Amino acid sequence: MGNLVVVGVDGSSSSLAAVDEAAREAKWRRAELRLVHAFNLPVRPMYAPPDPSPLRRLVAEAAQRARSLAPEVEVTEAVVSGDAVTVLEAESRAADLVVVGPRGSGGFLGMLLGSTAASLAAHSECPVMVVREEPAGTGPILLAVDGSPVGEKAVDFAFTEAGLRGAEIMAVHAWLPDYVPAGTGRESAERLLAQALAGRTARHPDVMVRHEVLSGETREVLIEASKTVQLMVLGARGRGGFAGLLLGSVSQALLNHAHCPVTVVRGKV
């Protein structure tokens, strides 16, 4: 399967956590790992361009970290001119997964999610994994199911990832009992969940799946559930989003507040 995992590197502690996770992903996928650092050239030509040597050292140190964690993985390094979102979005066209930290070295103190992570999750052409600095747990993979077309790709990604990690899937659909139309209810929610997962268990017989229909506001339910899982997987935009919206409110909330790494799926899987 996958041939390339890309990770954004900027020297921050969150990007080093992303390097660690990306190295593990490349090992599981038997893929190449590419470490990328993006830098902006000065706007005014009178200023001398930055010396790339410290940037190359930064990436080389991160690459050595990755090799120590996954010595069997081929690791390449790149220092590229351009803003981080544009550079990593271009990298995503050839990648199977892009991994970043939630907030880089340029973020404001107290900011939960940086502009690079949010924009990349909205525009990447492959799944984007946003990794927290805190060590991930060892529980199941939480798959957020909403029955949307984008969510179908998230289901496929979650089953593949569970097979790689040897993990169980906890497939969750959240609903609000007070706001469902007449003629619908818990049974309808359970049916939606079963239909979304139909056929996957046959293709992935070694992956155990637990169905969970939970009542409550979607963001609150999923944030609470993220406390006991090793990874959350969801589509970039669910059924409730406006046409043309690249990243839905639920996805944004989880990228900001989930207690585990979050993978947003919108492009190829």
Side-chain angles (χ1 to χ4, degrees), residues 224-237:
E224 179 63 25
S226 73
K227 293 178 180 178
T228 58
V229 302
Q230 62 176 283
L231 175 70
M232 179 182 292
V233 178
L234 70 160
R237 182 171 63 87

Side-chain angles (χ1 to χ4, degrees), residues 29-186:
R29 294 165 176 265
R30 297 187 176 92
E32 176 189 340
L33 176 61
R34 179 170 165 85
L35 282 73
V36 179
H37 176 80
F39 70 97
N40 281 315
L41 289 171
V43 177
R44 298 181 183 178
M46 67 181 67
Y47 294 141
D51 179 4
S53 299
L55 304 180
R56 293 197 183 100
R57 282 197 299 273
L58 180 153
V59 178
E61 289 170 0
Q64 185 56 42
R65 181 186 181 103
R67 291 187 182 100
S68 67
L69 285 171
E72 64 272 56
V73 171
E74 179 183 351
V75 180
T76 60
E77 308 160 25
V79 175
V80 183
S81 171
D83 72 90
V85 174
T86 301
V87 168
L88 291 174
E89 183 184 347
E91 294 283 340
S92 76
R93 296 167 195 162
D96 301 284
L97 179 68
V98 174
V99 185
V100 294
R103 186 170 61 87
S105 57
F108 295 101
L109 186 63
M111 181 184 290
L112 295 172
L113 186 69
S115 59
T116 296
S119 297
L120 189 61
H123 295 93
S124 172
E125 295 193 21
C126 71
V128 173
M129 182 182 293
V130 179
V131 178
R132 307 281 173 200
E133 292 180 42
E134 299 82 5
T138 57
I141 291 174
L142 192 161
L143 168 61
V145 176
D146 61 12
S148 68
V150 173
E152 288 284 304
K153 295 181 179 180
V155 173
D156 288 332
F157 180 92
F159 270 86
T160 299
E161 191 72 13
L164 293 170
R165 293 176 179 234
E168 178 188 19
I169 288 178
M170 182 171 71
V172 173
H173 178 68
W175 68 301
L176 282 170
D178 295 337
Y179 293 93
V180 294
T184 65
R186 185 178 183 87

Side-chain angles (χ1 to χ4, degrees), residues 173 175 185-194 213:
H173 178 68
W175 68 301
R186 185 178 183 87
E187 294 79 9
S188 177
E190 290 172 345
R191 188 163 54 251
L192 180 150
L193 185 56
V213 173

Side-chain angles (χ1 to χ4, degrees), residues 213-229:
V213 173
L214 304 176
S215 61
E217 198 277 327
T218 301
R219 286 167 289 195
E220 294 176 2
V221 165
L222 294 176
I223 289 169
E224 179 63 25
S226 73
K227 293 178 180 178
T228 58
V229 302

